[in-house]
């Protein structure tokens, strides 16, 4: 160690280090290289054991008794502390650096000396302390007699043990990586990649903040409920002075009038005048006021009211004028009379020339649209629930449901070749059924009806509605009480019947085919389920949020659906947007009996038991970013109520903006533009 390092102040108490058996040194080379002669001299004594005492009498107390007081406090003083007797410890005179260097060059033991700044003295290390330092620098134990590899001492006796340790060899599975752990790791990796396991992202602290921001608008406040600061108490004014001006002091008459007031209207503080502060009495309402203040702070609810001045007219949606949305049905142009009971269902022929109607009197009638002339009547014998024209113009047949039977009637329209094909189509050699494995034969049977020269499909429950497929070969029937076989599919060309290959959740109300794709809509009392018939799977479930669904209609494009309910609400569903209603219209005060879309015009209608039919403009845009436009157009009246029923069915003309309505007053009305 050179002289400059020896003179460097060390903030260490070497006396304490001597007791602990450890001391720091800044120059290791001086210990190992420069003083080998000391090591040789001490090697003869290395075999002797060093006896150390644990007695506290061997510990050397520090000369300076100032404790943990920093020495910087004494840098301007002539002393550095006090000894045990309380006398000042004078600072020694600093030796010139050149003189100290020459003195250290002549002194062979200078490398062992360390300056103790705490006691202001030089301390010379002993040979035992240097040995400890050398062993610590080499990474050995400080004491030479310590054996790190001592033999193991078994402190327990196993001679009389009843359950000795097993001498079985280690199993192989302990040396092979676990197969199940690797599988679990692969599962975790896949779950992380799929996003099933998400790690908590570190919270990013905001870099910017309002230096002069208010505490009420801080981020900590906004995380919770809307923070409303408590009302600040009113600051005292001139009236609260102990010696206010005379104009603030009330007269005796005013004080008497205060007593006659209600306590709510009475002033809280009446100013008084005192000549000096010494004569001011204690505030009599101090406890009461502090208590009321506490109630204001943590018990009284505070609500922030945002008052916005808005013109009520600006809240109304800006709808186009009804004149710009013409044509649409407005007035009753023609009335078809002939039924003796309520007309339960109507259906318009695809060309728009004929209209069929089924009534509660057990008859099915065909009318000419333009003249209102009745062309043909079938006596079915029981109430006709539903009628439906075949959608193919070259196949003018009519499906009629009455009770538990469905009749496929030949209307007699068309040329001779079409009539020949129809008669061949409506011929059954023997009663047939299909899918015996599904017990369809016990549910439905095909029969030849000689009376009406048609096909009769006999079901095991009452049929409420019929729906044709767009190709004209398939039709579906709905039996609300049919449970798992409530909806059946019939193929007219092969005379086959099959059950819907889906589990029906709820009581079915109606069913509709998609106008262009192999998709089937089933409306239950609570929701609408959309099935793919090719893949035989559920595509979407439309949540109506209605009490009970009564009817359903699909837009000609197939992406929008309207649903009517028995609580007078009409729901518009955009299937590309959501499974919840895009719009819910509360238009009828009574049950909605049916809803219908127009094939070519942007119109849809709903009819209700309140004897009215509502006509709406419903424009669906090709741009997916633009929502459908729904505008109410007209309320059509004219039907009268009978047995609590009003308008039971409504259908649009396939080519003209005309609407047909069937009422409980045994009449059919045509509304034109």
């Amino acid at each position: 160690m050179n002289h400059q390092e020896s003179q460097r102040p060390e903030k260490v108490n070497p006396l304490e280090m001597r007791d602990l058996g450890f001391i720091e040194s800044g120059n290791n080379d001086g210990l190992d290289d420069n003083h080998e002669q000391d090591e040789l001299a001490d090697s003869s004594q290395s075999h002797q054991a060093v006896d150390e005492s644990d007695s506290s009498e061997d510990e050397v107390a520090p000369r300076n008794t100032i404790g943990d007081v920093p020495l910087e406090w004494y840098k301007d003083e002539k002393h550095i502390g006090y000894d045990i007797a309380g006398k000042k410890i004078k600072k020694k005179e600093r030796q010139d650096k050149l003189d100290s260097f020459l003195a250290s060059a002549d002194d062979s033991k200078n490398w062992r000396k360390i300056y103790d700044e705490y006691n202001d003295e030089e301390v010379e290390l002993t040979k035992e302390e240097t040995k400890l330092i050398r062993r610590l620098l080499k990474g050995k134990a400080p004491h030479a007699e310590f054996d790190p590899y001592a033999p193991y001492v078994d402190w327990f006796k196993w001679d009389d043990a009843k359950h000795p340790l097993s001498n079985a060899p280690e199993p192989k599975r302990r040396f092979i990586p676990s197969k199940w752990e690797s599988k679990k790791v692969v599962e975790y990796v896949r779950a992380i990649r799929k996003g099933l396991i998400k790690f908590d992202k570190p919270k990013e602290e905001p870099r910017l903040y309002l230096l002069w921001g208010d505490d009420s608008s801080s981020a900590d406040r906004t995380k919770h409920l809307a923070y409303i600061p408590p009302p600040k108490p009113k600051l005292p004014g001139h009236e609260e002075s102990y010696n206010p001006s005379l104009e603030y002091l009330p007269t005796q008459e005013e004080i008497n009038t205060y007593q006659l007031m209600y306590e709510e209207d009475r002033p809280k503080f009446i100013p008084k005048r005192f000549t000096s502060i010494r004569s001011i009495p204690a505030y009599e309402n101090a406890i009461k006021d502090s208590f009321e203040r506490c109630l204001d702070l943590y018990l009284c609810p505070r609500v922030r009211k945002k008052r916005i001045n808005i013109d009520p007219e600006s809240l109304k949606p800006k709808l186009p004028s009804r004149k710009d949305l013409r044509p649409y049905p407005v007035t009753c142009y023609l009335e078809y009379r002939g039924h003796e009971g309520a007309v339960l269902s109507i259906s318009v022929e695809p060309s728009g020339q004929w209209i069929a109607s089924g009534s509660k009197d057990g008859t099915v009638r065909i009318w000419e649209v333009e003249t209102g002339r009745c062309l043909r009547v079938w006596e079915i014998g029981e109430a006709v629930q539903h009628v439906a024209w075949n959608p193919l113009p070259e196949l003018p047949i009519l499906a009629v449901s009455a009770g538990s039977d469905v009749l496929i009637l030949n209307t007699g329209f068309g040329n001779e070749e079409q009539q020949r094909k129809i008669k061949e189509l409506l011929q059954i050699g023997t009663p047939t059924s299909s899918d015996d494995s599904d017990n369809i034969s016990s549910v439905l049977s095909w029969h030849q009806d000689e009376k009406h020269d048609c096909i009769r499909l006999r079901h095991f429950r009452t049929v409420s509605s019929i729906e044709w497929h767009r190709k004209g070969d398939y039709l579906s029937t709905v039996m609300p009480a049919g449970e798992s076989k409530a909806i059946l599919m019939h193929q007219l060309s092969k005379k086959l019947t099959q059950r819907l290959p889906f589990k029906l959740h709820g009581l079915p109300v109606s069913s509709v085919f998609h106008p262009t794709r192999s998709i089937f809509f089933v409306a239950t009392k609570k929701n609408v389920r959309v099935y793919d018939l090719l893949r035989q799977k559920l595509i979407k479930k439309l949540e109506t949020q209605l009490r009970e669904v009564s009817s359903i209609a699909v837009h000609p494009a197939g992406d929008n659906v309207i649903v009517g309910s028995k609580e007078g609400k009409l729901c518009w569903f955009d299937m590309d947007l959501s499974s919840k209603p895009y719009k819910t219209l509360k238009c009828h005060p009574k049950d909605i009996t049916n809803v219908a879309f127009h094939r070519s015009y942007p119109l849809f209608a709903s009819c209700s038991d309140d004897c009215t039919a509502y006509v709406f403009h419903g424009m669906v845009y090709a741009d997916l970013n633009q929502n459908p436009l729904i505008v109410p157009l007209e309320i059509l009246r004219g039907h009268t109520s009978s047995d609590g029923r009003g308008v039971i069915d409504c259908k649009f003309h396939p080519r003209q903006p005309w609407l047909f309505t069937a009422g409980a007053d045994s009449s059919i009305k045509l509304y034109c533009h």
Side-chain angles (χ1 to χ4, degrees):
M1 182 181 296
N2 55 25
H3 173 74
Q4 294 179 359
E5 292 181 349
S6 65
Q7 296 297 327
R8 183 184 304 166
E10 299 285 343
K11 296 184 179 180
V12 179
N13 190 351
L15 296 178
E16 295 176 326
M17 295 167 60
R18 184 183 303 175
D19 297 333
L20 296 173
F22 176 80
I23 192 164
E24 293 183 356
S25 176
N27 193 347
N28 299 336
D29 297 337
L31 292 174
D32 296 334
D33 301 335
N34 298 337
H35 303 281
E36 294 180 356
Q37 63 274 14
D38 290 342
E39 294 181 2
L40 294 174
D42 299 336
S43 61
S44 61
Q45 302 175 2
S46 60
H47 65 279
Q48 299 178 0
V50 180
D51 295 332
E52 293 186 0
S53 174
D54 293 335
S55 175
S56 60
E57 296 178 357
D58 296 340
E59 297 180 0
V60 180
R63 192 163 64 95
N64 196 351
T65 60
I66 60 172
D68 294 335
V69 175
L71 293 178
E72 295 180 359
W73 294 3
Y74 294 91
K75 64 180 181 179
D76 296 333
E77 303 291 336
K78 294 181 180 181
H79 62 285
I80 60 168
Y82 303 89
D83 58 7
I84 194 169
K87 297 180 180 180
K88 294 182 180 180
I89 301 175
K90 300 291 184 180
K91 290 183 180 179
K92 294 181 180 180
E93 294 183 0
R94 297 296 180 187
Q95 193 177 5
D96 186 51
K97 289 188 177 182
L98 182 59
D99 296 339
S100 63
F101 173 73
L102 294 176
S104 63
D106 297 337
D107 190 1
S108 60
K109 295 184 179 181
N110 184 64
W111 64 277
R112 287 188 181 182
K113 295 180 180 180
I114 291 179
Y115 175 70
D116 182 9
E117 186 182 11
Y118 188 75
N119 293 314
D120 194 18
E121 61 182 359
E122 284 187 355
V123 180
E124 183 177 350
L125 301 177
T126 62
K127 293 181 180 181
E128 288 77 9
E129 290 172 347
T130 55
K131 287 180 184 180
L132 292 177
I133 293 173
R134 289 194 191 99
R135 293 186 64 85
L136 290 174
L137 291 175
K138 293 178 181 179
K140 299 180 181 180
H143 300 289
E145 63 271 12
F146 176 75
D147 185 8
Y149 307 104
Y152 173 72
V153 179
D154 194 355
W155 301 100
F156 302 95
K157 295 181 180 181
W158 307 97
D159 299 336
D160 300 332
K162 294 182 180 180
H163 301 283
L165 296 177
S166 175
N167 290 329
E170 291 287 336
K172 186 180 179 181
R173 63 177 178 270
R174 296 188 183 176
F175 303 95
I176 298 176
S178 175
K179 177 177 67 176
W180 306 108
E181 288 182 2
S182 61
K183 284 187 176 182
K184 202 67 180 176
V185 170
V186 171
E187 289 181 5
Y188 284 141
V189 170
R190 289 176 179 172
I192 291 171
R193 289 177 179 173
K194 290 181 181 179
L196 301 178
I197 298 178
K198 296 181 180 179
F199 300 99
D200 295 336
K201 296 182 180 179
K203 295 182 179 179
E204 297 182 357
E205 296 184 358
R207 297 181 179 179
L208 304 176
Y209 62 93
L210 293 175
L211 183 61
W212 307 109
D214 189 9
D215 292 340
S216 61
S217 61
S218 61
D220 296 337
R221 304 277 190 178
T222 56
K223 287 180 182 178
H224 309 287
L225 298 175
Y227 173 73
I228 303 175
K232 296 181 179 180
K234 183 182 177 182
L235 297 177
H238 295 289
E239 298 177 352
E240 282 77 8
S241 173
Y242 76 95
N243 190 9
S245 301
L246 295 177
E247 59 266 18
Y248 292 104
L249 297 176
T251 60
Q252 188 62 34
E253 296 178 358
E254 293 176 349
I255 294 175
N256 295 335
T257 55
Y258 293 161
Q259 301 299 326
L260 299 176
M261 292 182 180
Y262 290 105
E263 189 175 357
E264 298 176 355
D265 301 334
R266 196 178 302 164
K268 303 296 181 183
F269 177 77
I270 298 175
K272 296 180 181 179
R273 192 171 190 180
F274 301 95
T275 56
S276 63
I277 298 178
R278 190 181 301 171
S279 60
I280 300 176
Y283 182 46
E284 55 184 3
N285 295 328
I287 298 177
K288 182 180 178 181
D289 287 357
S290 61
F291 179 72
E292 290 179 353
R293 176 63 178 167
C294 292
L295 292 181
D296 289 340
L297 290 178
Y298 69 90
L299 286 182
C300 295
R302 299 189 294 274
V303 180
R304 178 177 293 161
K305 294 183 179 180
K306 295 183 178 180
R307 299 181 180 236
I308 305 174
N309 296 324
I310 299 177
D311 185 13
E313 295 296 329
S314 63
L315 298 177
K316 295 181 180 179
K318 295 181 180 179
L319 300 177
S321 175
R322 292 196 301 170
K323 296 180 181 179
D324 301 333
L325 302 178
R326 292 176 180 174
Y328 56 86
V330 176
T331 57
C332 181
Y333 173 72
L334 201 60
E335 188 173 349
Y336 307 88
R337 287 197 172 272
H339 286 290
E340 296 178 358
V343 182
L344 301 180
S345 177
I346 54 176
S347 180
V348 186
E349 193 256 341
S351 64
Q353 187 176 0
W354 319 103
I355 181 173
S357 62
S359 174
K360 203 172 183 179
D361 59 4
T363 61
V364 175
R365 294 174 180 264
I366 294 181
W367 314 79
E368 188 176 9
V369 172
E370 294 184 355
T371 61
R373 181 166 52 98
C374 181
L375 297 179
R376 192 164 182 179
V377 180
W378 285 276
E379 293 286 344
I380 305 300
E382 55 182 323
V384 178
Q385 297 292 333
H386 201 275
V387 294
W389 279 94
N390 191 293
L392 297 180
E394 62 272 12
L395 201 63
I397 58 177
L398 188 67
V400 177
S401 70
S404 60
D405 294 341
V406 174
L407 285 77
I408 311 297
L409 300 175
N410 182 8
T411 59
F413 299 122
N415 51 33
E416 295 180 358
E417 184 179 356
Q418 291 177 351
Q419 282 297 314
R420 181 176 56 82
K421 290 181 179 180
I422 291 173
K423 289 179 181 180
E424 292 177 359
L425 185 64
L426 300 182
Q427 287 296 325
I428 299 178
T430 56
T432 62
S433 63
S434 67
D435 297 339
D436 291 335
S437 60
D438 290 341
N439 299 325
I440 295 296
S441 59
S442 62
V443 174
L444 180 134
S445 58
W446 294 67
H447 299 281
Q448 188 73 44
D449 194 324
E450 301 295 340
K451 178 181 178 182
H452 302 293
D453 193 16
C454 66
I455 295 177
R456 182 183 292 270
L457 281 72
R458 184 153 293 165
H459 296 68
F460 76 108
R461 291 286 187 271
T462 303
V463 179
S464 62
S465 66
I466 309 170
E467 184 70 23
W468 284 96
H469 190 263
R470 65 181 184 278
K471 294 184 179 180
D473 191 24
Y474 291 90
L475 76 154
S476 68
T477 56
V478 177
M479 297 173 287
E483 297 179 352
S484 62
K485 301 179 181 62
I487 298 179
L488 299 177
M489 296 278 188
H490 312 282
Q491 188 176 5
L492 193 58
S493 59
K494 297 182 179 180
K495 312 297 185 295
L496 297 178
T497 300
Q498 58 182 350
R499 184 171 60 87
L500 193 68
F502 309 107
K503 184 178 179 181
L504 299 176
H505 299 270
L507 199 64
V509 175
S510 179
S511 64
V512 187
F513 286 97
H514 194 278
T516 57
R517 298 164 60 189
S518 59
I519 292 177
F520 193 61
F521 297 83
V522 177
T524 61
K525 285 193 173 184
K526 294 296 181 182
N527 47 50
V528 178
R529 293 177 178 268
V530 187
Y531 298 99
D532 191 336
L533 296 177
L534 291 180
R535 294 185 293 174
Q536 294 189 1
K537 62 180 293 188
L538 178 67
I539 300 177
K540 186 172 284 191
K541 178 184 174 183
L542 305 180
E543 300 176 2
T544 60
Q545 302 174 358
L546 300 172
R547 188 181 68 224
E548 184 176 348
V549 175
S550 62
S551 55
I552 181 176
V554 183
H555 191 270
D559 293 334
N560 294 271
V561 180
I562 54 174
V563 176
S565 70
K566 289 191 175 182
E567 53 189 300
K569 291 182 180 180
L570 186 144
C571 296
W572 178 294
F573 287 92
D574 190 346
M575 295 181 60
D576 295 332
L577 182 64
S578 172
S579 60
K580 294 184 178 180
Y582 162 66
K583 290 286 185 184
T584 301
L585 307 176
K586 181 71 172 82
C587 45
H588 294 279
K590 291 187 178 182
D591 300 355
I592 294 179
T593 53
N594 198 17
V595 290
F597 269 111
H598 199 285
R599 290 186 185 178
S600 54
Y601 287 92
L603 298 173
F604 69 95
S606 65
C607 57
S608 171
D609 283 336
D610 59 358
C611 301
T612 62
Y614 280 58
V615 181
F616 299 88
H617 174 86
M619 174 61 75
V620 178
Y621 299 95
D623 186 7
L624 295 178
N625 295 326
Q626 193 168 2
N627 294 328
L629 176 64
I630 301 174
V631 182
L633 294 177
E634 193 70 33
I635 301 177
L636 305 178
R637 295 181 174 88
H639 288 277
T640 58
S641 178
S642 176
D643 296 333
R645 303 299 302 274
V647 182
I648 300 176
D649 197 4
C650 64
K651 290 289 189 301
F652 276 103
H653 192 277
R655 297 181 181 178
Q656 299 292 334
W658 300 344
L659 182 67
F660 297 91
T661 58
D665 55 356
S666 68
S667 66
I668 304 169
K669 294 181 182 295
L670 169 62
Y671 293 89
C672 299
H673 62 288

